[in-house]
Amino acid sequence: MSFADFCAEYDNFYWSFGLDGHESDHAGQAVLAKYAARIALHQKVADTILAKFCSDTDAVKDSYRAARRFGSIEAVARLKLVAAGLSGGEA
């Protein structure tokens, strides 16, 4: 699967569903707390991959590299590392 296909399917899951809890009431916070271990995976993807990804064209520019941004090849490699750390059924 290409990184573009992943992004289309994943649809910024962590942010799209407000899993950081910023839109949740007390009951919603309780649900998020219950599933915190599962949510942590999606937070990691959001914070360490999706938030740092840039286009492949920009990824070769010094200014983007200095800002520690990366393109699709690095993004896929990082996703593989996250997936390798799963013990099964966590996502």
Side-chain angles (χ1 to χ4, degrees), residues 5-6 12 14-15 18 58 67 80 85:
D5 289 342
F6 168 80
N12 289 317
Y14 180 75
W15 295 311
D58 288 337
K80 287 179 180 180

Side-chain angles (χ1 to χ4, degrees), residues 37-83:
R38 289 184 179 189
I39 292 169
L41 164 79
H42 299 287
Q43 182 178 12
K44 182 175 185 175
V45 169
D47 291 345
T48 66
I49 301 169
L50 299 178
K52 298 180 183 296
F53 168 74
C54 65
S55 72
D56 290 334
T57 303
D58 288 337
V60 297
K61 296 177 182 176
D62 289 338
S63 59
Y64 282 77
R65 294 174 64 161
R68 298 183 181 212
R69 304 290 299 271
F70 49 82
S72 63
I73 293 170
E74 179 67 19
V76 169
R78 290 177 184 222
L79 283 170
K80 287 179 180 180
L81 289 173
V82 170

Side-chain angles (χ1 to χ4, degrees), residues 9-10 13-14 18 22 28 34-36 47 60 65 69 71 83 91:
E9 292 293 321
Y10 191 71
F13 186 77
Y14 180 75
H22 76 277
K34 179 179 179 180
Y35 294 104
D47 291 345
V60 297
R65 294 174 64 161
R69 304 290 299 271

